[in-house]
């Protein structure tokens, strides 16, 4: 029984570590990523930066 509780606790720690690291990576990508849009009007490219 004690070994089972130790394994469950280790698994919960691992899952929480993966969740926190995933959230940090997604937040960093979201903050740093700047999409660039290009629009054409009558065949002329107009670049819009957001």
């Amino acid at each position: 029984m004690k070994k089972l509780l130790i394994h469950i606790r280790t698994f919960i720690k691992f899952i929480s570590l993966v969740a926190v690291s995933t959230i940090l990576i997604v937040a960093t990508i979201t903050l740093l990523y700047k999409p660039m849009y290009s629009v054409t009007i009558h065949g002329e490219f107009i670049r819009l930066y957001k």
Side-chain angles (χ1 to χ4, degrees), residues 7 12 27 29:
H7 287 299
I12 290 173
I29 290 172

Side-chain angles (χ1 to χ4, degrees), residues 7-48:
H7 287 299
I8 291 173
R9 185 176 66 181
T10 305
F11 181 72
I12 290 173
K13 285 181 181 180
F14 175 74
I15 292 298
S16 63
L17 180 67
V18 169
V20 169
S21 60
T22 303
I23 290 171
L24 286 175
I25 291 170
V26 169
T28 303
I29 290 172
T30 303
L31 290 175
L32 294 178
Y33 178 69
K34 304 288 184 202
M36 182 178 78
Y37 304 96
S38 64
V39 179
T40 58
I41 298 176
H42 301 294
E44 180 181 338
F45 284 101
I46 299 174
R47 290 189 177 189
L48 302 174

